């Protein structure tokens, strides 16, 4: 780290009124090139569209526009081939590219920055990047949903215990449980689509904050860059980072879903539960305990949520006290979004792989579904339906039956008719039809319920919506 005392020549891009360059510490805190070089393609695309618009409006000459375009194409291939030399003295990606353009094409390069500022330029580049990332996320969520739909279809009548408080509640099907995740990731995907629509406005031409007196055509640049329309308020345009915050909020909610799923995978793959087996591709061994197969991928997906949520809080905190319009604080937006995007992509990809490969242990699920008096509600419902009891009384009678089964160390279905009749004389042998887990799930045909017939309907609904 530098000592903060060396003064060099002033910045070649904005140093007109400066006698000397920044101290080394200033350069270090100011520079963003270390991370915003990721925006090079968006920056070049934005500059090409801007130059084309300037030429079409007669603000720069067609010759200068051609030189600028050729120069930018050269820079694009230099960056992509790894030969471009990024300089921290030039602060950020915008000035690195513009300085190189000046070296390549001379004075025409200086005309590119007419009628724009780095404030609308960075808003444009970053918005383009986030929009593309959301489009990628949409595709990845679609793949995850497709993996779940396949597992749901195969397991529409695989019985498992349903839980509340992680205590056995009522039998459900594994297909139904998979479809719960389809709903969650489907909402995430809807949020992604909505956010893309929200942010589909072009910032370029807002200039520093007040717009410009040059006769620019913002609709033309918006169209060329694939936006629906230009933004409507130049002050808001350079102040706004809602698109980044929306990305991070969506990422946080999605990561929370992934984390809950990861937690279930960790629990289900324990020898004690044994509901699933993870493929070797998504687990690891222990260096000391040979018997172990650890769900590391699921654990890391669970952990990435911490980073992603952290990024959301970090950027909300950066933005919360900023006066309009642009402040340099906003430069801190990018690393949060880049890091969250990388983590989210990895987490979705790992989860999609785990769900695709997962071995479902139907026998273990079935055995667990039958234990823990999971059909007690079915007995209570039977007493309401067949013996005319009010539900509260039926609940009480069923409680007595559970207590007796617990004392005897057996399931409800193992109690004899005589034992049940001693608890309530209205009970007949028909009750045994509802005490099995299969009968229990098959009976729950209410819309969105766990009956295999209902689960299949929901799968068909989602298949039509991919
Ligand atoms: N690197 C800056 C950022 O990311 C670009 C905008 C700089 N604008 C300015 N007025 N200094 O925010």
């Amino acid at each position: 780290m530098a000592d903060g005392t060396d003064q060099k020549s002033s910045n070649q891009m904005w140093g007109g009124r400066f006698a000397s360059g920044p101290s080394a510490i200033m350069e270090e805190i100011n520079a963003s090139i270390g991370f915003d070089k990721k925006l090079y393609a968006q920056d070049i695309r934005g500059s090409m569209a801007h130059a084309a618009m300037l030429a079409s409006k007669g603000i720069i000459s067609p010759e200068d526009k051609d030189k600028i375009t050729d120069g930018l194409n050269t820079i694009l291939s230099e960056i992509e081939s790894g030969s471009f030399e990024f300089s921290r003295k030039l602060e950020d990606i915008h000035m690195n590219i513009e300085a190189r353009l000046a070296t390549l094409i001379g004075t025409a390069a200086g005309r590119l920055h007419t009628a724009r500022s780095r404030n609308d330029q960075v808003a444009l580049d970053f918005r383009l990047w986030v929009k593309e990332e959301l489009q990628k996320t949409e595709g990845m969520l679609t793949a995850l949903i497709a993996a779940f739909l396949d597992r749901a279809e195969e397991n529409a009548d695989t019985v498992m215990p349903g839980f509340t408080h992680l205590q056995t509640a009522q039998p459900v099907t594994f297909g139904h449980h998979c479809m719960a995740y389809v709903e969650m990731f489907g909402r995430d995907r809807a949020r992604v689509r909505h956010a893309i629509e929200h942010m589909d406005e072009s910032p370029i031409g807002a200039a520093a904050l007040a717009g410009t007196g040059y006769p620019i055509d913002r609709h033309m640049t918006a169209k060329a860059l694939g936006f629906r329309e230009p933004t409507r308020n130049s002050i808001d345009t350079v102040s706004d980072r809602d698109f980044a915050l929306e990305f991070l909020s969506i990422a946080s909610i999605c990561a929370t879903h992934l984390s809950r799923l990861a937690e279930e995978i960790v629990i289900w793959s324990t020898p004690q539960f044994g509901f699933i087996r993870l493929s070797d591709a998504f687990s690891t061994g222990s260096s000391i305990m040979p018997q172990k197969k650890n769900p590391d991928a699921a654990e890391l997906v669970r952990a990435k949520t911490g980073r992603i949520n952290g990024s959301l809080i970090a950027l909300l905190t950066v933005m919360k006290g900023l006066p309009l319009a642009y402040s340099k604080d906003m430069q801190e937006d990018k690393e949060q979004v880049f890091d969250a995007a990388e983590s989210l992509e990895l987490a979705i990809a790992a989860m999609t792989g785990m769900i695709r490969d997962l071995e479902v242990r139907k026998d273990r699920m079935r055995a667990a579904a039958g234990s823990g008096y999971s059909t007690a509600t079915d007995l209570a419902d039977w007493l309401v339906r067949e013996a005319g009891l009010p539900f509260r009384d039926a609940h009480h009678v069923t409680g007595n039956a559970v207590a007796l089964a617990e004392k005897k160390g057996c399931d409800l279905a193992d109690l004899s008719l005589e034992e049940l009749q001693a608890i309530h004389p209205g009970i007949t042998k028909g009750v045994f039809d509802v005490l099995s887990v299969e009968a229990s799930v098959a009976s729950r045909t209410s819309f969105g319920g766990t009956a295999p017939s209902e689960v299949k309907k929901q799968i068909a609904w989602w298949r039509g919506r991919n």
Side-chain angles (χ1 to χ4, degrees), residues 98-408:
E98 203 185 315
R100 177 70 185 140
L101 190 63
T103 311
L104 288 172
I105 67 167
T107 50
R111 300 194 197 283
L112 172 61
H113 213 53
T114 313
R116 84 172 179 188
S117 145
R118 269 190 297 155
N119 297 350
D120 57 339
Q121 192 178 354
V122 73
L124 168 68
D125 296 1
F126 197 29
R127 203 183 272 240
L128 282 171
W129 193 92
V130 171
K131 193 176 147 190
E132 282 160 32
E133 186 62 27
L134 281 170
Q135 282 158 346
K136 197 161 161 192
T137 309
E138 183 185 355
M140 295 189 75
L141 284 172
T142 296
L144 177 57
I145 289 170
F148 264 118
L149 286 172
D150 290 347
R151 304 332 298 266
E153 195 133 55
E154 295 154 18
N155 293 284
D157 35 34
T158 302
V159 182
M160 71 180 279
F163 300 93
T164 59
H165 314 267
L166 198 56
Q167 307 285 327
T168 301
Q170 294 173 340
V172 296
T173 63
F174 185 59
H176 193 211
H177 201 101
C178 288
M179 291 305 289
Y181 282 103
V182 167
E183 294 288 335
M184 290 149 84
F185 295 119
R187 284 194 296 275
D188 290 331
R189 192 176 58 180
R191 271 185 280 273
V192 164
R193 289 175 177 163
H194 198 193
I196 293 173
E197 241 182 270
H198 261 163
M199 69 182 62
D200 206 10
E201 296 175 352
S202 169
I204 194 73
L209 81 163
T212 175
Y214 292 101
I216 60 171
D217 183 348
R218 293 193 57 209
H219 290 86
M220 179 179 170
T221 38
K223 190 157 178 247
L225 292 164
F227 289 106
R228 187 181 58 233
E229 58 194 330
T231 53
R232 283 170 305 279
N233 181 301
S234 59
I235 298 175
D236 176 51
T237 302
V238 298
S239 312
D240 170 35
R241 290 296 181 271
D242 287 6
F243 60 94
L245 289 171
E246 271 195 59
F247 173 79
L248 291 171
S249 326
I250 292 168
S252 296
I253 298 175
C254 180
T256 300
H257 293 155
L258 289 165
S259 184
R260 295 180 76 173
L261 172 58
E263 172 67 8
E264 297 210 302
I265 288 178
V266 169
I267 294 173
W268 292 342
S269 61
T270 56
Q272 289 75 9
F273 266 76
F275 285 3
I276 56 166
R277 255 192 219 105
L278 286 174
S279 70
D280 290 352
F282 286 99
S283 29
T284 57
S286 157
S287 54
I288 174 167
M289 297 165 282
Q291 84 284 12
K292 291 203 35 163
K293 190 165 174 188
N294 294 328
D296 293 39
E299 293 168 275
L300 287 163
V301 167
R302 194 171 56 184
K304 294 281 183 205
T305 312
R307 282 171 80 134
I308 296 172
N309 290 354
S311 295
L312 171 63
I313 298 301
L315 187 57
L316 282 169
T317 311
V318 166
M319 297 303 295
K320 70 173 266 300
L322 298 188
L324 308 187
Y326 177 86
S327 296
K328 195 62 172 261
D329 312 50
M330 289 158 74
Q331 179 165 284
E332 294 283 319
D333 55 2
K334 290 169 218 45
E335 282 172 295
Q336 302 303 336
V337 169
F338 293 158
D339 187 76
E342 193 180 318
S343 298
L344 187 67
E345 274 188 37
L346 251 176
I348 299 177
M351 213 32 116
T352 307
M354 274 184 272
I355 298 303
R356 285 219 170 279
D357 285 11
L358 175 95
E359 184 191 325
V360 178
R361 301 179 68 188
K362 297 188 184 190
D363 54 329
R364 297 287 306 230
M365 288 190 181
R366 170 70 181 74
S371 70
Y373 313 109
S374 65
T375 56
T377 320
D378 298 275
L379 172 54
D381 287 340
W382 185 91
L383 287 163
V384 169
R385 212 173 44 240
E386 306 293 332
L389 268 63
F391 185 77
R392 279 291 155 229
D393 296 349
H395 186 284
H396 193 78
V397 169
T398 305
N400 291 340
V402 169
L404 177 63
E406 208 165 33
K407 204 167 105 204
K408 294 188 64 188

